[in-house]
Amino acid sequence: MNILILSAGTRNKVVEYFVKAMNGRGKVIATDMSSLAPAIYEADKFYIVPKMTAPDYLDVILDICKNENITGVLSLIDPELSLLAKNKERFEALGTTVIGSSYELCEMSLDKFQMFGWLTDHGYRCARSYMDKDQFFADEEAGKITYPVFVKPARGSASIAISKVFDRETVELLFAHDEGLMIQEFLDGQEIGADVYIDMISGEVISVFTKKKLKMRAGETDKAVSFKDEKLFALIEKFVKEAGYRGQIDIDIFDVDGEYYISEVNPRFGGGYPHAYECGCDHMKLIVENLSGRANSGRIGSYEEDIYMMKYNEVCIRKGN
C-alpha cells in the first residue's frame, strides 16, 4: 500500500502522521511544485511537479500513481480537490482511490454562496449571504442585517482578500473593483473548528473532534482548546450525513448565543488538524483501514477536553543540489 499526498507545502505534520500510520507497510509519497516545500522531505519519496493549472499536470500525477502503485491519493489544497474528484474514474482505472468527497460537494464547499444556499434550503443556521449588493442594501435598510459585514470572494480559501466592512461606500468600492464577491453577515460569537472523518466504506461518521479557536493566522487556527458538546456532535453528524461527505473534512462553526451556525467546509485536512491527532484522533489510521478494505467503528468525541494547541515556527534545513 502506497499513499500519495499532493501539494504538501508546509503541512509537515500531516505527512509525518501518514508515515507513522503506514508503519513500514508501504511508502508515503509527496508532491509539490517547489523543492522548497518543507513537507515533502517528511515523506519516503517526493516528486516536484508542474503547477496544478498546467495542461499536463493531471497526466503527471496519474503517471506517478501508475509508476508508484499508489493505493490512495489526496490533496491538501482546496482547488485540487475538485480536480481529483472529477477524474476519480481515471485514478480508479489505475487501482488508486481518491480519498475525499464527490466533485459536486468539493465544488459546493469551494463556493461559499452555493454552500449558503444548500444550508438555507436544508434548514441549518448560517450567515446570511448575498451576491447581489442591491439586495443586501435593501435588507440592510429594512433592518434584516446590520454592519459590519464581510466582503469576500465567493470562491476562495485561506482568508485571502477578505474585508470587514462598516459602511455602504466601502461595499460599493470593493464591488466596483472585483468580480465574484459576496457579502456575508458578521457572526459575533465563538468560532469553532471540527475535524471530522466519514468512513469511505460505510459512509458513517467515525470521528469528530471540536476545538474553540482562540487565535487565527492567515486563515488557519493558531491557538485553540479542545471541548465537547453532544448537541454540537449531533448537529455535525446530521449535517455531514445529509450532505454526503466522505473521508476527511474540516468544518468552521460559530456559537452565537448558544446556537450553532455552520460557516464553511473544507473537504480535506485543515491547518489545525494536528490538534485533533495529538489528542488521539488518528484519522490517518482510519484512512489506511479504509484503503485496506475495512470499515472503521465509531469513536465520536473520543478525546480529552481542555487540551490546548499552540502553533510555533520550525525550520527545515537542506543542502542545495
Side-chain angles (χ1 to χ4, degrees):
M1 177 188 298
N2 298 318
I3 292 177
L4 179 62
I5 303 173
L6 306 180
S7 302
T10 59
R11 299 293 175 85
N12 292 53
K13 285 293 185 183
V14 170
V15 179
E16 176 189 320
Y17 296 155
F18 268 109
V19 172
K20 285 185 179 179
M22 293 292 281
N23 195 27
R25 287 176 288 179
K27 292 183 295 185
V28 174
I29 299 167
T31 72
D32 201 274
M33 68 178 197
S34 171
S35 61
L36 298 182
I40 61 176
Y41 299 106
E42 303 289 344
D44 297 306
K45 186 175 182 179
F46 67 85
Y47 286 84
I48 304 303
V49 298
K51 285 186 177 181
M52 193 197 83
T53 52
D56 63 338
Y57 178 77
L58 184 62
D59 289 333
V60 170
I61 301 304
L62 288 166
D63 281 345
I64 294 172
C65 289
K66 181 180 179 180
N67 296 332
E68 297 290 349
N69 295 313
I70 298 298
T71 311
V73 59
L74 71 153
S75 175
L76 300 182
I77 61 171
D78 293 320
E80 199 163 33
L81 302 174
S82 294
L83 179 68
L84 290 179
K86 189 174 184 179
N87 292 278
K88 180 180 178 181
E89 291 183 357
R90 294 185 66 183
F91 284 96
E92 287 178 343
L94 299 175
T96 303
T97 297
V98 173
I99 302 165
S101 298
S102 68
Y103 174 75
E104 291 73 21
L105 281 174
C106 289
E107 282 291 288
M108 183 176 78
S109 300
L110 189 60
D111 189 319
K112 296 174 179 61
F113 192 73
Q114 188 182 345
M115 175 62 76
F116 162 71
W118 190 95
L119 291 168
T120 302
D121 290 344
H122 290 79
Y124 292 93
R125 290 184 176 87
C126 58
R128 191 185 294 264
S129 302
Y130 305 83
M131 292 293 289
D132 183 344
K133 63 181 174 61
D134 293 325
Q135 182 61 56
F136 162 71
F137 292 143
D139 280 3
E140 191 272 327
E141 289 175 4
K144 295 180 180 179
I145 188 170
T146 59
Y147 291 104
V149 294
F150 285 114
V151 176
K152 60 176 73 172
R155 292 175 68 89
S157 60
S159 295
I160 296 171
I162 292 181
S163 301
K164 192 175 181 180
V165 176
F166 294 83
D167 55 67
R168 178 175 181 143
E169 290 74 20
T170 307
V171 172
E172 293 277 20
L173 181 65
L174 290 169
F175 268 72
H177 287 84
D178 284 296
E179 295 182 351
L181 295 179
M182 64 179 284
I183 302 164
Q184 193 170 64
E185 178 184 9
F186 171 65
L187 295 176
D188 190 9
Q190 172 65 57
E191 189 171 358
I192 293 164
D195 298 285
V196 184
Y197 187 77
I198 307 96
D199 198 88
M200 294 189 294
I201 295 175
S202 69
E204 295 297 317
V205 180
I206 300 302
S207 176
V208 177
F209 174 86
T210 54
K211 56 186 177 281
K212 294 179 181 178
K213 299 183 180 184
L214 305 178
K215 186 177 179 181
M216 301 292 291
R217 177 172 57 174
E220 290 191 1
T221 307
D222 200 42
K223 303 182 192 301
V225 60
S226 62
F227 81 106
K228 298 180 185 181
D229 181 1
E230 292 300 329
K231 175 184 173 182
L232 179 56
F233 290 157
L235 173 67
I236 291 170
E237 189 169 10
K238 178 179 182 295
F239 161 65
V240 167
K241 291 187 72 173
E242 189 171 0
Y245 286 99
R246 289 290 189 277
Q248 176 71 27
I249 70 170
D250 169 72
I251 311 175
D252 291 334
I253 301 161
F254 282 86
D255 179 352
V256 182
D257 298 326
E259 297 293 347
Y260 290 118
Y261 288 68
I262 297 174
S263 176
E264 297 179 14
V265 178
N266 300 306
R268 55 169 171 77
F269 284 97
Y273 170 73
H275 193 181
Y277 182 93
E278 299 297 341
C279 287
C281 298
D282 185 350
H283 293 183
M284 285 68 184
K285 183 178 179 181
L286 302 178
I287 288 172
V288 170
E289 285 294 298
N290 276 171
L291 292 178
S292 299
R294 295 185 291 269
N296 295 284
S297 56
R299 57 195 77 183
I300 294 175
S302 181
Y303 59 90
E304 189 176 348
E305 292 187 274
D306 204 33
I307 301 297
Y308 285 80
M309 177 193 73
M310 297 156 277
K311 283 187 180 178
Y312 63 96
N313 291 333
E314 186 55 277
V315 296
C316 176
I317 306 296
R318 302 284 299 186
K319 180 176 173 58
N321 295 328

